[in-house]
Amino acid sequence: MKFSEYCQYDGLGLAALVRQGEVTPVELLQTAVARLEVLNPQLNACVHTFVKSAEARARKPLPDGPFTGVPFILKDLLDDLAGEPTSLGTGQVRWYPEQNAEIVNRYLQAGLVPFAKSNLPEFGLMITTEPKAFGPAHNPWKAGYSTGGSSGGSAAAVAARIVPMASANDGGGSIRFPAACCGVFGLKPSRGRNPTGPLEAEGWDGAIAGHPITLSVRDSAAMLDCLSGPELGTGFKIPKPTETFLSQLEKPLKPLRIGVSARPMIAAEVSPEAKAALANTVALLKDLGHVVVEAHPEIDAGQMWADFMVVISGHTAAKVNQIKTIWGSKAAASLEPGTLSAAMLGRSFSSADVAQAKEGWHKVRAAMGRYLEEYDMLLTPTLIDEPARHGVIPPTAFEALQMRLGHRLPLGKLLMKSGLLFSLSERVLSRMAFTLMGNVTGLPAMSVPLHWTANGLPLGSQFVGRMLDEGRLLQLARQLENAQPWFDRRPLL
């Protein structure tokens, strides 16, 4: 199949061609692999391929799902495929799982054919994909610029039309942020909607949610139909809706009352370009008949990021300990300074500190519950500014040296109380100013690609909905997609 034809379809469109006998799964896979071989040297979107086993899968009868025969890329974190290595973005860890992650089982049951693993920052901790082990992923819209993180390789592969969608997961913005950076669609589902187990049954205390980054809204809706539902041992028994998410896209959307805020929920400076993108989205919404009111959630921004850091650093410390136990001290010592520093923070806090931080999460959830009683959704920028140049967000060489020298000392509480922790982490935390709240609360949120800057880089608009209200989020996204299409807006590669 020629790429000029392949790139005209989303996932559901390619699957329809397979069902009609116009193309085979093997031919689709070969087209995607050829596209990857041409573009990956300049994008560095993928770090591992398994084409032979993918071809063997494609030649056998595939499950009869909505995406039968469609090529797919898995994120190299959490989305484990039995027999293929998971590196977590590290240099020395190569884990060969004996079983699939449950979400991967559901991807396969939908008929997808995975053939590669995407690039990501180490442990998924950074908001940019610039790991030391594999090198930076380049934004398809402009080389030398960030794809966002942590699902940056997946977003770049989708934007470059290597695949129509790729797996992603989001613990602080890691679906929405790279989707915004790369000009594609990213939905973070409600906590518990999609599986995260069996190994990470409640990743980051429930902050992590998994769902693909897609070119089209309908692909995202159809995938949510395939992925959603409880898994064995889950603490969240969320039933599927009575109507499919895909069918809900065809229903008329009643005018919404949408609150809009450009006030960051973590200390940050929002650029004029991000404010202009937000204003354009507000104008579009009003043209579509929605009521948009400036209204800011009542959230203690300083407390929210601090509580998040207490909980997440504890998970990082546990992961570093696991690596040391399984792969040895050398592998643990080889981790990036930022990872080791985050683990130090986790070792510094007590279980009482974590319990208190989780109470802070509940306060944020209550504040958003009150907000969403008055408004159907919250609209914010996804990014505080256009995607950053490579090297801007990661630690400098001097900062990395400081982190490596101090990672064994229990300095977490001192750094937190003195304000130094925010100063050291500001380049990362400030860019999560609008996305982090969705992970703390578990609310569904999406980034919609509605604006490109004068520099030719994408900026997304974020919508946060009520708990389990993905159907209405997707309805609005489809309406925006029809009003201001982005599918045919492609980077020049």
Side-chain angles (χ1 to χ4, degrees):
M1 188 179 193
K2 292 182 179 180
F3 175 74
S4 58
E5 182 182 4
Y6 171 85
C7 69
Q8 295 175 22
Y9 296 92
D10 62 359
L12 288 173
L14 291 175
L17 295 179
V18 172
R19 282 194 300 273
Q20 294 160 10
E22 296 184 29
V23 68
T24 68
V26 172
E27 289 169 337
L28 289 181
L29 177 63
Q30 290 171 342
T31 303
V33 170
R35 179 73 169 167
L36 179 65
E37 289 174 347
V38 169
L39 293 183
N40 207 49
Q42 57 183 294
L43 293 178
N44 198 27
C46 292
V47 297
H48 171 65
T49 60
F50 40 98
V51 176
K52 286 186 178 181
S53 61
E55 283 189 349
R57 184 187 302 276
R59 292 183 189 281
K60 296 177 182 178
L62 292 165
D64 184 15
F67 295 100
T68 298
V70 176
F72 195 62
I73 289 172
L74 294 169
K75 184 175 178 180
D76 199 20
L77 176 73
L78 301 181
D79 294 347
D80 302 314
L81 180 65
E84 298 300 337
T86 296
S87 71
L88 314 174
T90 69
Q92 294 199 20
V93 173
R94 295 294 180 273
W95 177 56
Y96 290 82
E98 295 181 358
Q99 65 180 111
N100 298 333
E102 176 57 26
I103 197 168
V104 172
N105 283 333
R106 298 184 188 187
Y107 284 137
L108 297 176
Q109 194 61 36
L112 293 166
V113 181
F115 67 96
K117 291 286 196 80
S118 64
N119 199 358
L120 73 148
E122 191 172 84
F123 282 23
L125 291 175
M126 294 289 284
I127 208 71
T128 184
T129 301
E130 302 177 48
K132 298 295 184 185
F134 298 104
H138 289 265
N139 195 306
W141 295 91
K142 199 161 193 176
Y145 281 76
S146 175
T147 59
S150 63
S151 309
S154 290
V158 173
R161 275 38 178 196
I162 295 168
V163 286
M165 56 186 173
S167 84
N169 36 62
D170 188 319
S174 293
I175 289 174
R176 294 156 288 156
F177 202 93
C181 286
C182 294
V184 289
F185 181 71
L187 171 73
K188 182 198 81 69
S190 299
R191 181 170 297 161
R193 173 71 78 184
N194 289 350
T196 58
L199 294 175
E200 296 282 351
E202 291 184 25
W204 285 5
D205 272 49
I208 295 176
H211 194 67
I213 289 171
T214 64
L215 288 173
S216 70
V217 173
R218 70 172 191 162
D219 274 0
S220 188
M223 278 308 318
L224 197 58
D225 288 323
C226 296
L227 299 177
S228 64
E231 61 183 314
L232 182 67
T234 183
F236 305 101
K237 295 286 187 179
I238 297 176
K240 288 198 174 190
T242 54
E243 299 176 89
T244 67
F245 291 107
L246 185 60
S247 67
Q248 290 179 57
L249 295 185
E250 305 308 318
K251 296 178 66 176
L253 179 64
K254 296 179 181 179
L256 301 173
R257 181 174 169 83
I258 300 173
V260 60
S261 177
R263 180 184 294 173
M265 296 177 218
I266 298 173
E269 187 71 31
V270 182
S271 73
E273 190 81 64
K275 292 178 181 177
L278 187 66
N280 291 342
T281 299
V282 168
L284 178 58
L285 289 167
K286 289 180 177 179
D287 287 344
L288 293 169
H290 302 293
V291 176
V292 185
V293 180
E294 184 174 0
H296 310 291
E298 295 180 3
I299 291 173
D300 185 334
Q303 193 62 50
M304 184 176 70
W305 76 259
D307 291 338
F308 182 79
M309 289 293 287
V310 169
V311 176
I312 302 317
S313 64
H315 284 272
T316 305
K319 184 62 68 176
V320 171
N321 288 344
Q322 182 186 51
I323 287 175
K324 186 175 181 179
T325 299
I326 298 174
W327 285 277
S329 298
K330 184 177 179 181
S334 73
L335 297 172
E336 293 183 22
T339 304
L340 295 174
S341 183
M344 177 274 290
L345 292 174
R347 292 192 298 270
S348 299
F349 299 121
S350 67
S351 57
D353 295 324
V354 174
Q356 186 174 351
K358 286 301 297 290
E359 284 301 314
W361 287 29
H362 302 324
K363 290 178 181 178
V364 177
R365 189 161 64 230
M368 284 306 301
R370 290 189 292 271
Y371 185 94
L372 292 171
E373 282 185 332
E374 185 170 356
Y375 302 99
D376 296 310
M377 295 177 191
L378 166 66
L379 165 65
T380 73
T382 309
L383 313 176
I384 62 169
D385 200 358
E386 69 178 19
R389 288 180 178 272
H390 286 157
V392 169
I393 298 176
T396 65
F398 180 65
E399 289 168 340
L401 177 62
Q402 288 179 306
M403 290 176 179
R404 193 167 286 283
L405 291 174
H407 82 272
R408 297 183 186 279
L409 303 175
L411 301 174
K413 289 186 178 182
L414 175 62
L415 290 172
M416 186 77 81
K417 289 180 180 179
S418 67
L420 284 173
L421 180 58
F422 186 82
S423 298
L424 291 170
S425 308
E426 182 178 8
R427 292 196 302 279
V428 175
L429 286 172
S430 65
R431 290 178 180 270
M432 300 162 67
F434 295 107
T435 57
L436 183 61
M437 178 274 290
N439 302 90
V440 169
T441 61
L443 294 171
M446 64 183 183
S447 182
V448 186
L450 297 174
H451 184 81
W452 270 254
T453 72
N455 202 21
L457 288 162
L459 274 177
S461 292
Q462 179 184 232
F463 294 85
V464 182
R466 294 170 182 161
M467 197 67 175
L468 307 183
D469 203 14
E470 289 94 338
R472 192 154 51 165
L473 281 171
L474 288 163
Q475 281 182 298
L476 177 61
R478 180 61 172 267
Q479 189 182 60
L480 294 168
E481 182 183 38
N482 289 335
Q484 192 170 302
W486 60 78
F487 188 90
D488 290 329
R489 190 161 188 169
R490 302 171 189 160
L492 298 176
L493 291 167

